[in-house]
Every structure is written in structure tokens, then in C-alpha cells.
Amino acid sequence: MKLFVGLGNPGSKYARNRHNIGFMALDRIAEDHGFGPWKSKFQAEISEGRLGREKVLLVKPQTFMNRSGQSVGEAMRFYKLDSTDVTVFHDELDLAPGKVRVKAGGGHAGHNGLRSIHEHISPAYDRVRLGIGHPGRKEMVSPYVLGDFAKADGEWLEDVLRGVADGAVYVADGDSGKFMNAVAQRTAPPRSSKSAEKPREKANPKPEALPEADTRSAMQKLLDKFK
């Protein structure tokens, strides 16, 4: 079994916060892959399903962000899993909005949800980092992540969530390359190799032939007039 953990804060007031993009990602995976109904267990909302050959448990901790590790540790111990069976989907300030990256292990970079998970299960778990951008100043980080996505963010956010859901089976299978390709198909689809044909310019009309120069003498012109 694999454990997919989405990070966020519980409650409708936080539902559209940038900090809740991890919850949004799991909701889309559950919807697109026909997972079971959400249930309350392990201080979390959980949903079971399959991604390819893997059985996957989706976990949305309901402990608030800074205590997310309690829920994750409880679920991991119940199913006798290792931390390497866990993948955490979370917001990432150090990535531009719409960018997605995969990472195995490493630090928590000050993210309170990751910090809590580090404390409860160790740093040896995988992450899917979902870029939300940085507000620019450190003191603005808290209101920024706890603020809602703007309407203008809707298009790229939808592309990211669709891409993550499309590639979820590859995350479960441990193939980060194919996962990133699936995300790219949504967020940066390849352009057609056949460039649109430029409309043909109309051929310049054939210039009219200029009259030949009249080389007759004045007397000849006068005589010709009376012919």
C-alpha cells in the first residue's frame, strides 16, 4: 500500500487557501480515479482506491497544518508501512505558480506541515511540490499562504490539478519521470509540429506593357493622320 498525504487546514474557511493545494490535489485524484467515499480515521479524512497495480490510501490530516505528522504517523503505523511508502503533496513557496517538482527526502524548508511530518515519521518520504510562488517578503508569507487563490490563478491551478491526477498512477509506481511528463502535458502541452500555414500572398498582377516610344517625325505624324 502507498500513502498519499495532502497538506492543508480543515474547514470551509480554508478550502481555497494557497496552503490547501495539497488537499485540492488529493480531491482531484480521488474524483478522477474513482476512489471510495471519504471517511474519518487517523485524525484525518481518508479515501481508499487503486492506482495501477498499487492500493493507495489518500490522507487529508484534520489536525491543522502544524500537527499533520500526528495523523500521518498514525496511519503509517496502522498499516505497518515505511516512511518511503509515503508521498506528501504540499504547497511550495520556492516554485513559481503552476510549477510542479518531485523530491525524495530532504529538509522541510520551514514548512510547518513538513516539519511536523519530519518529527513523526523521519525525513525519508517523497514529496510532490506544488508551486504557489512567493509574496516577496518574509513577513508576508503567512497571510499569503492563508489567502485564497485569486480568480486569475484559476486556469493554471486547474491545469496543475488535472496534471497531478493524470500522473498519480506513476507516483504510486515510483516513476517520477512519467509523472512529470503527465503534468507537462497539462501545464505546457507541446505545440503542433506543423506550423499553421501562412496565407498565400496574392501574386502581384502582371504590369501592363508600356506603349512603345513614338519615333516618327512631326511631318510623318501629320501625314499618317490623313491616311
Side-chain angles (χ1 to χ4, degrees), residues 135-163:
R137 298 203 305 271
K138 188 176 180 180
E139 64 271 19
M140 293 175 64
V141 166
S142 183
Y144 177 75
V145 298
L146 294 175
D148 286 357
F149 281 108
K151 285 185 179 180
D153 296 322
E155 188 172 346
W156 71 255
L157 179 59
E158 178 68 11
D159 288 342
V160 165
L161 297 177
R162 284 182 179 276

Side-chain angles (χ1 to χ4, degrees), residues 16-202:
R16 294 292 298 173
N17 283 184
R18 294 179 179 89
H19 225 13
N20 274 43
I21 193 172
F23 277 12
M24 296 175 196
L26 260 58
D27 285 338
R28 183 56 62 89
I29 291 171
E31 181 181 345
D32 287 3
H33 293 276
F35 272 59
W38 292 95
K39 301 176 182 177
S40 294
K41 194 173 183 179
F42 311 125
Q43 304 178 71
E45 287 186 358
I46 64 170
S47 177
E48 294 185 30
R50 297 195 74 86
L51 291 171
R53 60 187 179 181
E54 294 286 350
K55 185 176 181 181
V56 176
L57 184 73
L58 306 180
V59 179
K60 296 191 296 183
Q62 301 296 292
T63 52
F64 285 95
M65 185 69 78
N66 61 359
R67 292 189 292 128
S68 299
Q70 295 178 10
S71 171
V72 178
E74 193 176 331
M76 197 179 82
R77 289 188 294 273
F78 181 86
Y79 290 105
K80 297 180 174 57
L81 301 175
D82 188 79
S83 63
T84 56
D85 296 316
V86 176
T87 300
V88 177
F89 296 73
H90 67 91
D91 57 301
E92 178 58 74
L93 287 164
D94 293 332
L95 288 177
K99 297 294 183 183
V100 177
R101 294 291 183 270
V102 179
K103 183 179 180 182
H108 54 67
H111 191 293
N112 288 333
L114 299 184
R115 190 198 307 272
S116 177
I117 293 173
H118 271 48
E119 293 170 356
H120 285 268
I121 74 170
S122 90
Y125 57 89
D126 292 337
R127 305 95 187 271
V128 174
R129 305 162 65 212
L130 306 169
I132 61 170
H134 198 286
R137 298 203 305 271
K138 188 176 180 180
E139 64 271 19
M140 293 175 64
V141 166
S142 183
Y144 177 75
V145 298
L146 294 175
D148 286 357
F149 281 108
K151 285 185 179 180
D153 296 322
E155 188 172 346
W156 71 255
L157 179 59
E158 178 68 11
D159 288 342
V160 165
L161 297 177
R162 284 182 179 276
V164 167
D166 290 348
V169 64
Y170 302 121
V171 177
D173 202 35
D175 194 331
S176 58
K178 286 186 177 178
F179 168 72
M180 290 302 299
N181 285 339
V183 173
Q185 289 294 319
R186 292 288 188 179
T187 59
R191 294 180 180 179
S192 171
S193 57
K194 294 182 180 180
S195 57
E197 291 187 9
K198 293 182 179 178
R200 293 183 180 178
E201 293 182 7
K202 291 182 179 179

